[in-house]
Amino acid sequence: MNKDVERYLKQATTGLWGHKRKEIKEELAAHIQDKVLVHQLAGFSEAEASQRALQELGKPKAIRQGMFQLYSLPYLGFAGIFLAFLTWVLIPRFAALDPLMVRPSEACLALDLRVVGKYHNCLSFEPWLSEAFLREGLEPQGVTITKQEANFVSSYLTLNIPEPAQSLRLSMYSGLSSPEQNRPLPGYLELSNFIEQIAEQTSVQVTGLDNFSLLFNGVSLTFNASYSKQIAEDFYYHYSFHITNDFTRPPLKEGEDFSQGWLYSVTSLNDYQKYSKPQMFTVSAHEDGVYFLFTALDKKHKIILKDNNLANSEVYFADSLAESKKGKVSLRVPKTPWHLVTEFSNPPTGGETILLRFTGKISKANLNYGYELVLPDEVTLEPN
Amino acid sequence: MSDNSLLRGNLDLILLSILEDSPKYGLEIISEANIRTDGYFSFKEGSLYPALHRLEKAKLVKAEFAPSDSGGPRRRYYYLTEAGKKQLEQKRAEFETFNSKVRALWEM
């Protein structure tokens, strides 16, 4: 991806956070790439093709404003103002509890509001780093940290690392400080967003499970061991990758996409099994037989369809089917052999997992990527 | 080229209609709109994505990533939800009614 495209994607998604920002970036990147190919086929050089693709997509500001309105401001209705007040009261207290912000269930609504757009429900864990935690962890290592308030929702931190000298700029959520009172609150940053921002500017290593650490530019941040399991889950959620006690991720190579880098770093099934012991079910695909795996009624359990090559696996379908045992669903079935894999953060006991086998009626074939299936009313259950 | 205000006013109907047959990704939606209307509907590319995300937020469409056949970043495919299908029927009926009433004004 060339620098202009990178800059465009950044500008189009500034002010968005975490998972949603990543999704929108990827969606736009796919659009741009497709258009670049079209223009290249028409005879333009790669640079010209990129320029044209970006021009046709329009000003990044227009996309940013459209998305920002959707994923942030409209949430601040009456309830939002009330929650904003709660947040204003609660955040400094939680920040004082522990530098690594772990979402407590009592406060999940208020804490959700810290990202303004609400992408995660209270069931999911989202580790947050506070500005105080970064200062406590990095300043003793000689790093000076300066903060620049940008607006009432975001601010910038600059980490000035002495040796080797480098300044890393991070945008972070500044908390809902009140402009009238001119009272800046501590800033917060999603762990995954923090790592991604660092990785965009320098190489970063992530090691350990019991003592989760980030290493970049000769400095390190070590996290409270009691959060390791949750961090591991967060990693799996964001990067489809299980961190392990002995795993060290080599620095990203030039031009390597961060999440892809993680995905491809999984070299064997053993890496997967070390931590969460995923439950594996393998079935052979037949054109006339469809295999679904249903898990316990817990939204944390994701059903993931992967192809046979785990190292190059791609998630085709990640919605929980737990609540759609009957009715119409769409399922992407690659035409190559495949198997179903489901991962559990807490492996369920035997009785909660069933393998559901049925013959699905293919109601519509020849979609771009698979079949649309109609589940029959009556199904045969076959425990694995 | 259509009147932009007409396009904006009927954007939901247009997008839901395009997604009715099968899941599509952004660029596919743009080209489908172009092809099916002989270029009458020509979207500003960048404005399409906030519109699609708005429909997603309203639970009228759902979206999922799928690998790109060109080997690049994954494409995000949108498809109608049950609520989206109902909304499409309703919008379509409203449009038909409006259309026939306006037409009645000059077909007397």
Side-chain angles (χ1 to χ4, degrees):
Chain A
M1 193 183 296
N2 75 31
K3 293 270 180 227
D4 289 340
V5 174
E6 273 178 32
R7 194 178 312 123
Y8 186 99
L9 293 175
K10 235 177 206 176
Q11 287 172 349
T13 57
T14 302
L16 298 169
W17 298 88
H19 188 56
K20 190 49 76 178
R21 183 180 190 197
K22 203 175 142 195
E23 271 186 4
I24 293 169
K25 255 189 181 174
E26 186 167 5
E27 182 174 26
L28 295 174
H31 180 110
I32 294 166
Q33 166 122 344
D34 282 341
K35 291 296 295 266
V36 168
L37 283 176
V38 168
H39 290 308
Q40 278 182 305
L41 286 174
F44 290 99
S45 70
E46 193 182 344
E48 288 167 335
S50 286
Q51 281 304 320
R52 283 179 166 257
L54 295 180
Q55 269 169 15
E56 284 159 3
L57 195 51
K59 290 183 178 167
K61 190 179 168 190
I63 298 176
R64 184 176 73 224
Q65 283 174 340
M67 294 298 186
F68 193 70
Q69 280 168 9
L70 270 179
Y71 294 115
S72 52
L73 298 177
Y75 283 95
L76 298 172
F78 174 75
I81 291 165
F82 174 67
L83 287 170
F85 171 74
L86 277 183
T87 309
W88 184 75
V89 173
L90 290 174
I91 284 176
R93 296 186 184 171
F94 284 124
L97 288 177
D98 199 289
L100 177 62
M101 294 295 294
V102 177
R103 174 172 302 180
S105 58
E106 298 88 349
C108 66
L109 281 176
L111 290 171
D112 268 338
L113 199 70
R114 291 194 289 109
V115 289
V116 188
K118 181 169 174 280
Y119 319 126
H120 302 285
N121 58 34
C122 294
L123 294 173
S124 66
F125 168 85
E126 191 72 40
W128 288 78
L129 308 183
S130 66
E131 181 188 334
F133 172 67
L134 294 177
R135 287 185 183 278
E136 283 165 24
L138 296 173
E139 282 175 348
Q141 299 176 63
V143 179
T144 53
I145 300 179
T146 52
K147 186 177 181 184
Q148 181 196 345
E149 299 288 341
N151 55 46
F152 81 106
V153 284
S154 62
S155 56
Y156 294 98
L157 276 194
T158 306
L159 314 181
N160 298 299
I161 299 171
E163 187 60 41
Q166 188 172 4
S167 291
L168 303 175
R169 188 172 156 87
L170 303 170
S171 75
M172 73 191 319
Y173 184 66
S174 63
L176 283 171
S177 59
S178 154
E180 293 80 27
Q181 296 184 11
N182 192 24
R183 180 182 162 180
L185 289 174
Y188 297 91
L189 197 55
E190 232 176 314
L191 173 62
S192 56
N193 187 253
F194 172 76
I195 298 173
E196 281 169 38
Q197 290 195 58
I198 294 283
E200 280 170 10
Q201 300 170 71
T202 185
S203 63
V204 56
Q205 291 184 20
V206 181
T207 61
L209 171 59
D210 290 341
N211 286 298
F212 180 79
S213 296
L214 292 174
L215 296 100
F216 52 93
N217 259 63
V219 295
S220 66
L221 266 179
T222 300
F223 293 74
N224 187 329
S226 62
Y227 298 122
S228 289
K229 184 170 174 291
Q230 286 139 319
I231 289 173
E233 282 174 19
D234 185 58
F235 256 75
Y236 188 74
Y237 176 76
H238 283 286
Y239 307 120
S240 304
F241 171 70
H242 287 303
I243 53 172
T244 57
N245 268 328
D246 54 358
F247 186 83
T248 301
R249 174 69 176 86
L252 290 179
K253 290 174 195 156
E254 178 75 24
E256 192 176 16
D257 177 71
F258 185 79
S259 58
Q260 289 294 310
W262 280 104
L263 194 60
Y264 293 141
S265 70
V266 180
T267 51
S268 74
L269 193 56
N270 286 338
D271 274 350
Y272 267 75
Q273 288 172 332
K274 272 179 191 166
Y275 172 60
S276 76
K277 296 178 184 163
Q279 309 288 300
M280 301 284 297
F281 296 85
T282 303
V283 295
S284 303
H286 305 290
E287 283 286 318
D288 60 343
V290 181
Y291 297 79
F292 275 28
L293 189 65
F294 284 82
T295 67
L297 292 170
D298 180 341
K299 287 182 181 171
K300 282 181 184 169
H301 294 163
K302 286 198 283 186
I303 299 174
I304 300 169
L305 177 63
K306 294 172 184 290
D307 65 25
N308 271 335
N309 184 350
L310 201 61
N312 292 300
S313 63
E314 184 66 61
V315 175
Y316 288 91
F317 183 73
D319 269 359
S320 171
L321 288 176
E323 291 169 350
S324 4
K325 287 183 182 174
K326 292 178 183 175
K328 200 174 179 183
V329 295
S330 291
L331 172 66
R332 290 171 189 171
V333 183
K335 283 155 193 160
T336 51
W338 50 274
H339 60 237
L340 283 171
V341 180
T342 182
E343 317 269 354
F344 301 102
S345 48
N346 297 303
T349 54
E352 293 171 86
T353 307
I354 55 171
L355 182 64
L356 181 65
R357 180 176 183 233
F358 64 92
T359 302
K361 180 183 156 205
I362 296 176
S363 67
K364 209 183 261 184
N366 302 321
L367 296 180
N368 284 350
Y369 50 77
Y371 303 114
E372 190 172 85
L373 303 165
V374 176
L375 305 192
D377 286 343
E378 290 185 16
V379 293
T380 312
L381 304 181
E382 287 183 4
N384 194 38
Chain B
M1 179 79 71
S2 65
D3 178 337
N4 269 343
S5 61
L6 279 177
L7 181 68
R8 272 199 303 276
N10 294 293
L11 190 56
D12 287 5
L13 174 60
I14 294 164
L15 292 177
L16 294 173
S17 299
I18 293 171
L19 292 172
E20 189 181 16
D21 297 340
S22 60
K24 292 182 185 66
Y25 58 95
L27 196 55
E28 210 177 5
I29 293 170
I30 292 168
S31 69
E32 186 103 358
N34 236 314
I35 291 165
R36 273 163 55 175
T37 65
D38 293 328
Y40 182 75
F41 288 136
S42 169
F43 288 109
K44 279 185 186 164
E45 293 184 11
S47 64
L48 175 74
Y49 289 100
L52 287 170
H53 280 249
R54 182 172 50 74
L55 293 179
E56 187 186 6
K57 209 153 221 351
K59 298 193 177 3
L60 299 177
V61 301
K62 278 185 91 172
E64 279 175 35
F65 277 106
S68 152
D69 48 21
S70 64
R74 294 178 307 166
R75 290 171 178 155
R76 198 156 189 262
Y77 283 83
Y78 293 85
Y79 57 94
L80 295 191
T81 60
E82 284 305 315
K85 286 173 193 165
K86 277 184 196 151
Q87 179 82 344
L88 175 59
E89 277 170 28
Q90 194 187 323
K91 290 255 176 202
R92 209 171 254 164
E94 279 169 14
F95 185 82
E96 296 284 2
T97 308
F98 180 79
N99 208 15
S100 67
K101 298 298 174 195
V102 172
R103 190 170 285 276
L105 294 176
W106 66 73
E107 283 184 351
M108 288 282 288

